[in-house]
């Protein structure tokens, strides 16, 4: 597969010392960007943990709605032979990976485009377009180099869709929340011409005026057997 050169971790909760132990020793000094939504005392605690590692940079996600939280759980791993994207359901803390059932999707290694002018390197499910738009929506300078890496790699072998949306308006009714997610799912199904396994997961939906019943209706979890975080360069 190649050797890890850099990585970015998107998540809600972090235990940085534990996370660094999951990287093989020879890769623990490689550049690592952590994209988070921490604020106030939690942000200070995260900065304190990160200060022990010269290779770690923090990037704070902009939360555009009141009481918003950053629940994205994704890794982008750059190897000397290509790019890998991992989308999962676990916080980057020990108990989530060792004591709870989680779900994970691991992409193949996407090689660099031989000729960017000849092909966009996108798949029939438009995975490259969607993942680019999703990362670009953060509007973070720290993610610009990762956007360029997505552009320069061939993601045409992806058999998945990364459709999502950002709440840029106030959702006052639970029916509106459900309608937004159903519209995303309908859009993905209607445009996909491939036979591929579709797994749709809503980690958490929170609206200012949402009722408990409405939020429960919006939750959907993918069940897999427990798994171990392995960031080695094998297989």
């Amino acid at each position: 597969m190649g050797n890890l050169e850099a990585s970015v971790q998107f998540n809600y909760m972090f235990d940085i010392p534990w996370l660094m132990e999951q990287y093989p020793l020879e890769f623990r000094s490689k550049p690592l960007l952590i994209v988070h939504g921490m604020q106030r005392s939690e942000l200070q605690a995260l900065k304190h943990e990160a200060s022990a590692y010269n290779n770690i940079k923090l990037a704070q996600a902009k939360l555009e709605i009141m009481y918003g939280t950053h629940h994205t759980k994704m890794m982008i791993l750059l190897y000397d032979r290509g790019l890998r994207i991992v989308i999962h359901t676990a916080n980057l803390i020990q108990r989530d990976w060792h004591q709870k059932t989680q779900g994970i999707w691991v992409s193949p290694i996407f090689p660099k485009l031989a000729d960017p002018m000849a092909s966009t390197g996108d798949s029939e499910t438009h995975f490259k377009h969607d993942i680019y738009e999703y990362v670009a929506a953060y509007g973070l300078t720290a993610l610009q180099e990762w956007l360029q890496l997505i552009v320069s790699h061939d993601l045409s072998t992806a058999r998945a869709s990364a459709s999502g949306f950002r709440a840029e308006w106030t959702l006052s009714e639970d029916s509106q929340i459900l309608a937004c997610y159903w519209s995303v799912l309908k859009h993905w199904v209607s445009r996909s011409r491939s036979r591929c396994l579709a797994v749709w997961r809503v980690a958490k939906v929170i609206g200012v005026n949402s009722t408990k019943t409405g939020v429960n209706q919006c939750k959907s979890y993918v069940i897999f057997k427990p798994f171990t975080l392995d960031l080695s360069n094998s297989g």
Side-chain angles (χ1 to χ4, degrees), residues 171 177-178 181 202-207 210 214-215 218-219:
L171 298 174
I177 298 174
L178 285 169
Y181 277 92
V202 180
K204 186 174 288 184
V205 179
I206 300 177
S210 295
V215 172
C218 291
K219 289 185 179 179

Short mmCIF file of all heavy atoms in Angstrom, two decimals, residues 171 177-178 181 202-207 210 214-215 218-219:
data_model
loop_
_atom_site.label_atom_id
_atom_site.label_comp_id
_atom_site.label_asym_id
_atom_site.label_seq_id
_atom_site.Cartn_x
_atom_site.Cartn_y
_atom_site.Cartn_z
N LEU A 171 -33.97 25.19 11.16
CA LEU A 171 -34.95 24.13 10.98
C LEU A 171 -35.86 24.14 12.21
O LEU A 171 -35.45 23.78 13.29
CB LEU A 171 -34.24 22.77 10.85
CG LEU A 171 -33.30 22.65 9.66
CD1 LEU A 171 -32.55 21.33 9.72
CD2 LEU A 171 -34.06 22.76 8.36
N ILE A 177 -36.54 18.57 9.01
CA ILE A 177 -35.27 17.86 9.17
C ILE A 177 -35.32 16.54 8.41
O ILE A 177 -34.42 16.21 7.65
CB ILE A 177 -34.98 17.59 10.66
CG1 ILE A 177 -34.85 18.92 11.41
CG2 ILE A 177 -33.71 16.76 10.83
CD1 ILE A 177 -34.70 18.76 12.91
N LEU A 178 -36.41 15.80 8.59
CA LEU A 178 -36.55 14.53 7.89
C LEU A 178 -36.58 14.74 6.38
O LEU A 178 -35.97 13.98 5.63
CB LEU A 178 -37.84 13.83 8.35
CG LEU A 178 -37.79 13.19 9.74
CD1 LEU A 178 -39.20 12.79 10.16
CD2 LEU A 178 -36.88 11.98 9.75
N TYR A 181 -33.06 15.15 4.84
CA TYR A 181 -32.29 13.92 4.70
C TYR A 181 -32.87 13.01 3.65
O TYR A 181 -32.15 12.36 2.90
CB TYR A 181 -32.19 13.21 6.06
CG TYR A 181 -31.08 13.77 6.90
CD1 TYR A 181 -31.33 14.80 7.80
CD2 TYR A 181 -29.78 13.31 6.78
CE1 TYR A 181 -30.31 15.34 8.56
CE2 TYR A 181 -28.75 13.85 7.53
CZ TYR A 181 -29.03 14.87 8.42
OH TYR A 181 -28.01 15.40 9.16
N VAL A 202 -27.32 8.64 9.73
CA VAL A 202 -27.45 9.96 10.32
C VAL A 202 -26.94 9.85 11.75
O VAL A 202 -27.55 9.18 12.59
CB VAL A 202 -28.92 10.44 10.32
CG1 VAL A 202 -29.02 11.83 10.95
CG2 VAL A 202 -29.47 10.45 8.90
N ALA A 203 -25.81 10.46 12.03
CA ALA A 203 -25.23 10.34 13.36
C ALA A 203 -26.08 11.04 14.40
O ALA A 203 -26.39 10.50 15.44
CB ALA A 203 -23.81 10.92 13.36
N LYS A 204 -26.46 12.27 14.12
CA LYS A 204 -27.32 13.00 15.05
C LYS A 204 -27.89 14.21 14.35
O LYS A 204 -27.20 14.90 13.62
CB LYS A 204 -26.55 13.44 16.29
CG LYS A 204 -27.42 14.09 17.36
CD LYS A 204 -26.63 14.36 18.63
CE LYS A 204 -26.32 13.09 19.35
NZ LYS A 204 -25.64 13.35 20.64
N VAL A 205 -29.16 14.45 14.56
CA VAL A 205 -29.81 15.61 13.99
C VAL A 205 -30.32 16.45 15.15
O VAL A 205 -31.07 15.96 15.99
CB VAL A 205 -30.98 15.22 13.06
CG1 VAL A 205 -31.65 16.46 12.50
CG2 VAL A 205 -30.50 14.33 11.95
N ILE A 206 -29.91 17.70 15.21
CA ILE A 206 -30.35 18.58 16.30
C ILE A 206 -30.87 19.87 15.71
O ILE A 206 -30.17 20.57 14.98
CB ILE A 206 -29.21 18.89 17.28
CG1 ILE A 206 -28.67 17.61 17.91
CG2 ILE A 206 -29.69 19.83 18.38
CD1 ILE A 206 -27.51 17.84 18.84
N GLY A 207 -32.11 20.20 16.00
CA GLY A 207 -32.67 21.49 15.62
C GLY A 207 -33.06 22.24 16.88
O GLY A 207 -33.32 21.63 17.91
N SER A 210 -36.47 21.07 17.94
CA SER A 210 -36.78 19.67 17.69
C SER A 210 -37.31 18.99 18.94
O SER A 210 -36.83 19.22 20.04
CB SER A 210 -35.54 18.92 17.21
OG SER A 210 -35.12 19.41 15.98
N GLY A 214 -38.91 13.54 17.35
CA GLY A 214 -38.39 13.83 16.03
C GLY A 214 -36.94 13.46 15.88
O GLY A 214 -36.52 12.89 14.88
N VAL A 215 -36.12 13.77 16.90
CA VAL A 215 -34.70 13.45 16.84
C VAL A 215 -34.51 11.94 16.81
O VAL A 215 -33.70 11.42 16.07
CB VAL A 215 -33.96 14.07 18.05
CG1 VAL A 215 -32.53 13.55 18.10
CG2 VAL A 215 -33.96 15.58 17.95
N CYS A 218 -34.88 10.48 13.45
CA CYS A 218 -33.82 10.80 12.50
C CYS A 218 -32.56 9.98 12.72
O CYS A 218 -31.63 10.07 11.94
CB CYS A 218 -33.43 12.27 12.61
SG CYS A 218 -34.73 13.38 12.00
N LYS A 219 -32.51 9.20 13.78
CA LYS A 219 -31.30 8.44 14.05
C LYS A 219 -31.33 7.10 13.33
O LYS A 219 -32.31 6.39 13.32
CB LYS A 219 -31.14 8.19 15.56
CG LYS A 219 -30.79 9.45 16.34
CD LYS A 219 -30.54 9.11 17.80
CE LYS A 219 -30.16 10.35 18.58
NZ LYS A 219 -29.94 10.06 20.00
#
